[in-house]
Amino acid sequence: MELVLIIKLILVVAVFAIALGIAAYSTYGERKIAAFFQDRLGPNRAGPFGLLQPLADGVKMIMKEEIIPAHADKTLFILGPALAMLTACMTGVVIPWGSTIEIGGAYYPLQITDINIGILYAFAVVSIGVYGVMIGGWASNNKYALLGALRASSQMISYELAMGLSIVALVMTTGELSIGEIVRQQHGWHWNVIYQPLGFLIFIVCAFAECNRTPFDLPECETELVGGYHTEYSSMKLGFYLFAEYINMFISSAIISALYFGGYNFPFMDSLGLSHNMVTTIGVFVFFAKVIFFIFFFMWIRWTLPRFRYDQLMNLGWKKMIPLAIINVLITGCVVLLLNKN
Amino acid sequence: MSQIAFYILSFLSVVSALLVIFSKKPVHSVLYLVFCFFTIAGHYVLLNAQFLAAVHIIVYAGAIMVLFLFVVMLLNLNADIEPHKDNVLKVSAVVAGGCLMLIMTSVMKTADTMPIIDSTNQIGVVKNLGLALYQTYMLPFELLSVLLLSAMVGSVLIAKKEDIENLPQ
């Protein structure tokens, strides 16, 4: 019992640290990738290859003067970025970061908690993530910020529906709501993306919209709204909003890899002839490789596609994504029914 | 352990529910209501109904209250522009509220006390809930979904009122 608790505690700290670390270096990666796409050099002053840039940015954010507008709702103004950061960090507990490790004959899973409704928990956290943006935008007492907040909330609600429906189809094929069990079912190369290609497509588009990433970054569309919901924010509060976006991107990539790309599973994992702990270690690295690929994919899209117009965004969400997701659920239902009969 | 959690959750839900009524700013009221929903979801978890807790948060805190907040923010309601209510309205509100409280207390007094559900109770697990909904309560469940659908169609119809009037008969 004691050992279980110690392992869980180590896992919590490790997941938190890794999430923050990867998010920090995503900012560096984003700028380097943007530079590559635009034929520039990117950050290269702080440290070798500019590797200390995230640190320099963090110090800059903390040292800057903090401004709270005179007519702002002070409590909610502080609560906004805090909530954005909190909800960004909450999903990590249900993601299986690796298979089990063997210590003294007993097996311990590399997942903080495998609740039987893991997918729904993740979905619930995503659905309350919008409060950080809404509260911050409203509390700023600024029309641009309010418009940004309203855009964010309507966008997130619209895309949550299609996302939920794509998860319904996934749950129908796997018959499970626990993320740990879904990943175990994808042993070897039985990845869900093979069985749910349309569902995966819908899910990843909605994940882009939920993370407010280009081409769906209308809540902070600077050509129309100055800075969107964080127009009035400065110092580390602004830093938290920007940082929460990168953590969300990391967590979304982790969920996409776990649900559709087999998580820590990789082909021929049984025929390598390695010990259980060794396979688990390779699995963890494979999982993080998949996650980093999807983070790169997020950035790749951002520097390739321009952003949508707002009516195009809503049309895509309501008139294309949701009908497609419903058709996907119908097809999945028919196939599952037919296969179970035989 | 779960008893301590129950008392903390109950205290928080009562306090946040009271703050919904007593806060001056409508936006604060909405946020306290969201918090209240979270504490109620906590109660569901204590009763081993994780599915209900998650759905409660997704539907109420994540969707309905966001729309509430949306409307309140757009209308930009404030304490100082709130219209003054006359005394007739206040008296009738007190009478109506008193009647509701009378009914509630009389119902609570005669209600059967439920047995304490122990933590090994499995009724809230997704599988049992699904079996109950789709086998024992199949008909009411389906009827409810039809009712929701008709409400949805109705609201779309109301929102599209102008277009319908302009249609050639």
Side-chain angles (χ1 to χ4, degrees), chain A residues 250-308:
Chain A
F250 168 61
I251 296 289
S252 308
S253 304
I255 287 184
I256 291 169
S257 332
L259 291 186
Y260 289 99
F261 279 82
Y264 50 76
N265 294 304
F266 52 95
F268 314 116
M269 59 195 289
D270 300 318
S271 50
L272 286 175
L274 296 166
S275 69
H276 181 77
N277 281 352
M278 202 57 212
V279 172
T280 302
T281 315
I282 297 174
V284 172
F285 280 108
V286 167
F287 183 65
F288 275 98
K290 289 171 186 171
V291 171
I292 287 169
F293 170 75
F294 279 106
I295 294 177
F296 170 71
F297 188 70
F298 268 88
M299 293 171 182
W300 188 5
I301 296 285
R302 174 166 179 185
W303 298 104
T304 310
L305 294 180
R307 75 168 62 92
F308 281 109

Side-chain angles (χ1 to χ4, degrees), chain A:
Chain A
M1 189 60 208
E2 283 294 298
L3 193 59
V4 173
L5 278 182
I6 293 168
I7 289 175
K8 295 284 179 203
L9 199 68
I10 294 172
L11 264 179
V12 169
V13 174
V15 166
F16 189 62
I18 290 171
L20 294 187
I22 287 191
Y25 273 90
S26 301
T27 62
Y28 170 77
E30 171 110 64
R31 294 166 73 175
K32 274 289 184 195
I33 287 168
F36 172 71
F37 275 66
Q38 297 168 346
D39 202 14
R40 293 184 284 117
L41 284 176
N44 62 354
R45 295 288 141 167
F49 308 107
L51 273 173
L52 295 177
Q53 191 65 38
L55 205 67
D57 284 342
V59 171
K60 186 197 90 171
M61 285 288 187
I62 291 170
M63 302 300 278
K64 279 220 167 177
E65 185 191 357
E66 187 170 326
I67 300 161
I68 296 181
H71 292 285
D73 188 322
K74 203 175 167 192
T75 329
L76 293 187
F77 193 78
I78 297 168
L79 188 67
L83 266 181
M85 201 67 182
L86 180 73
T87 51
C89 294
M90 268 169 73
T91 321
V93 290
V94 290
I95 295 171
W97 303 97
S99 181
T100 49
I101 47 166
E102 189 189 358
I103 300 171
Y107 292 94
Y108 299 97
L110 286 179
Q111 183 181 15
I112 296 170
T113 169
D114 191 9
I115 45 181
N116 55 15
I117 46 142
I119 288 193
L120 288 178
Y121 169 84
F123 198 62
V125 174
V126 167
S127 72
I128 56 168
V130 69
Y131 280 109
V133 173
M134 276 193 97
I135 290 172
W138 182 80
S140 305
N141 201 9
N142 175 314
K143 286 196 172 56
Y144 293 119
L146 182 63
L147 279 174
L150 293 180
R151 278 185 171 189
S153 51
S154 45
Q155 170 181 327
M156 284 173 104
I157 288 177
S158 309
Y159 280 82
E160 252 165 42
L161 292 173
M163 191 184 229
L165 286 169
S166 69
I167 290 177
V168 166
L170 182 74
V171 169
M172 283 161 87
T173 48
T174 57
E176 268 297 330
L177 282 170
S178 131
I179 298 184
E181 188 53 41
I182 287 176
V183 175
R184 271 191 289 280
Q185 282 181 6
Q186 305 177 59
H187 193 81
W189 53 269
H190 294 279
W191 297 355
N192 281 330
V193 68
I194 302 168
Y195 307 107
Q196 281 289 328
L198 186 61
F200 163 68
L201 198 70
I202 296 165
F203 190 89
I204 198 166
V205 171
C206 297
F208 272 84
E210 295 289 327
C211 291
N212 288 335
R213 293 286 298 185
T214 324
F216 304 107
D217 63 341
L218 288 134
E220 43 189 306
C221 168
E222 68 273 352
T223 46
E224 296 165 20
L225 289 177
V226 192
Y229 59 89
H230 53 60
T231 302
E232 295 287 354
Y233 279 90
S234 58
S235 182
M236 204 53 206
K237 292 200 188 68
L238 173 69
F240 271 3
Y241 268 131
L242 302 182
F243 206 56
E245 183 186 317
Y246 284 93
I247 298 177
N248 277 329
M249 207 160 78
F250 168 61
I251 296 289
S252 308
S253 304
I255 287 184
I256 291 169
S257 332
L259 291 186
Y260 289 99
F261 279 82
Y264 50 76
N265 294 304
F266 52 95
F268 314 116
M269 59 195 289
D270 300 318
S271 50
L272 286 175
L274 296 166
S275 69
H276 181 77
N277 281 352
M278 202 57 212
V279 172
T280 302
T281 315
I282 297 174
V284 172
F285 280 108
V286 167
F287 183 65
F288 275 98
K290 289 171 186 171
V291 171
I292 287 169
F293 170 75
F294 279 106
I295 294 177
F296 170 71
F297 188 70
F298 268 88
M299 293 171 182
W300 188 5
I301 296 285
R302 174 166 179 185
W303 298 104
T304 310
L305 294 180
R307 75 168 62 92
F308 281 109
R309 220 168 52 218
Y310 202 70
D311 58 324
Q312 291 172 333
L313 172 96
M314 282 293 154
N315 273 337
L316 181 72
W318 287 96
K319 293 186 180 163
K320 298 204 175 67
M321 282 299 163
I322 292 176
L324 262 181
I326 291 173
I327 290 169
N328 189 34
V329 169
L330 269 179
I331 295 172
T332 311
C334 292
V335 172
V336 167
L337 206 65
L338 283 175
L339 288 181
N340 281 1
K341 258 186 185 168
N342 295 333

